[in-house]
Amino acid sequence: DMKVTQMPRYLIKRMGENVLLECGQDMSHETMYWYRQDPGLGLQLIYISYDVDSNSEGDIPKGYRVSRKKREHFSLILDSAKTNQTSVYFCASSEGAGAEQFFGPGTRLTVL
Amino acid sequence: AQSVTQPDARVTVSEGASLQLRCKYSYSGTPYLFWYVQYPRQGLQLLLKYYSGDPVVQGVNGFEAEFSKSNSSFHLRKASVHWSDSAVYFCALRTGGYKVVFGSGTRLLVSP
């Protein structure tokens, strides 16, 4: 079953706390992505991972970092979260550069 | 710079009516184009994709899209909409490499 999972689905944090968002996929896809989705803005790319320990900044990487130690797992870390990082975060994976992306269900993060 | 524009933030159609959602892209090379759908509280799911060949591509659930290089467009169509088609629709463009640019989305409401 081709699936991308995200944990947790909902998260409330206080400003300054650290946040860990986790993503898994069971398709052995090399490429994985983290996006955030804000009303009226579509999806904005935070980071791309081409494979284990091979990550690249996207369009809005400031305030975020990522970790990929296993092909099937990709983490997004917010060190000292800010209120403007309140958003819905989506993880996606794809088989190759031109292939479709498979998306997880999203994590709704609120930073108070 | 590459970009995707979905000029209609919201579209309302009656059940059984035909539908067209507009998408314009900006890219000088050969684009890879996608339409995704997002149902409430879910991730994005692929409707259809265009790489090359026949400019009219068929997707799931009766959706189709037509690529026009001269107009830089990739409009989504459906002959007869159902209430279950109510969702947010995203047009996306892959320009090269692994990055995909998303439009801001069109919220479709199908009225009874």
Side-chain angles (χ1 to χ4, degrees):
Chain A
D1 190 20
M2 299 183 294
K3 198 171 183 179
V4 178
T5 58
Q6 290 186 239
M7 291 294 289
R9 293 292 313 277
Y10 301 90
L11 186 60
I12 300 175
K13 288 285 192 178
R14 295 191 182 279
M15 191 170 56
E17 292 185 327
N18 298 332
V19 176
L20 173 64
L21 305 185
E22 307 208 67
C23 174
Q25 50 101 356
D26 61 3
M27 297 166 278
S28 296
H29 287 166
E30 292 180 346
T31 311
M32 296 186 75
Y33 307 76
W34 276 107
Y35 294 92
R36 63 177 284 175
Q37 183 180 35
D38 300 292
L41 293 181
L43 273 73
Q44 298 174 273
L45 179 65
I46 306 172
Y47 269 94
I48 301 176
S49 174
Y50 302 108
D51 210 331
V52 172
D53 284 330
S54 178
N55 307 315
S56 178
E57 293 181 346
D59 299 319
I60 53 163
K62 187 177 179 182
Y64 304 94
R65 61 183 174 95
V66 293
S67 174
R68 191 164 180 205
K69 299 301 183 184
K70 294 182 180 180
R71 178 171 283 190
E72 64 271 18
H73 192 250
F74 189 33
S75 300
L76 180 69
I77 301 122
L78 289 65
D79 295 314
S80 188
K82 300 173 181 54
T83 55
N84 62 7
Q85 293 178 307
T86 292
S87 187
V88 181
Y89 291 86
F90 286 98
C91 174
S93 72
S94 69
E95 186 173 353
E100 69 175 279
Q101 295 179 57
F102 291 82
F103 284 83
T107 294
R108 183 175 295 274
L109 172 66
T110 301
V111 182
L112 302 175
Chain B
Q2 301 85 16
S3 66
V4 175
T5 301
Q6 293 181 247
D8 304 307
R10 294 176 182 267
V11 170
T12 300
V13 297
S14 299
E15 190 167 25
S18 63
L19 169 71
Q20 176 172 280
L21 302 183
R22 296 183 290 164
C23 172
K24 299 272 287 185
Y25 68 90
S26 174
Y27 179 57
S28 57
T30 301
Y32 284 17
L33 292 158
F34 306 83
W35 274 99
Y36 287 87
V37 61
Q38 183 180 31
Y39 298 103
R41 294 174 297 282
Q42 295 185 26
L44 282 67
Q45 303 170 35
L46 183 73
L47 276 179
L48 47 80
K49 59 189 176 186
Y50 173 78
Y51 290 165
S52 63
D54 188 338
V56 178
V57 291
Q58 304 296 322
V60 299
N61 296 335
F63 285 93
E64 67 175 28
E66 183 167 6
F67 168 71
S68 171
K69 186 177 176 67
S70 61
N71 293 323
S72 298
S73 67
F74 190 54
H75 300 330
L76 182 70
R77 303 189 298 237
K78 188 171 184 179
S80 177
V81 297
H82 186 263
W83 63 267
S84 60
D85 293 325
S86 295
V88 181
Y89 292 80
F90 290 94
C91 183
L93 164 70
R94 187 186 78 83
T95 58
Y98 291 80
K99 286 183 65 174
V100 176
V101 177
F102 286 84
S104 55
T106 297
R107 183 176 297 275
L108 173 65
L109 176 61
V110 179
S111 59

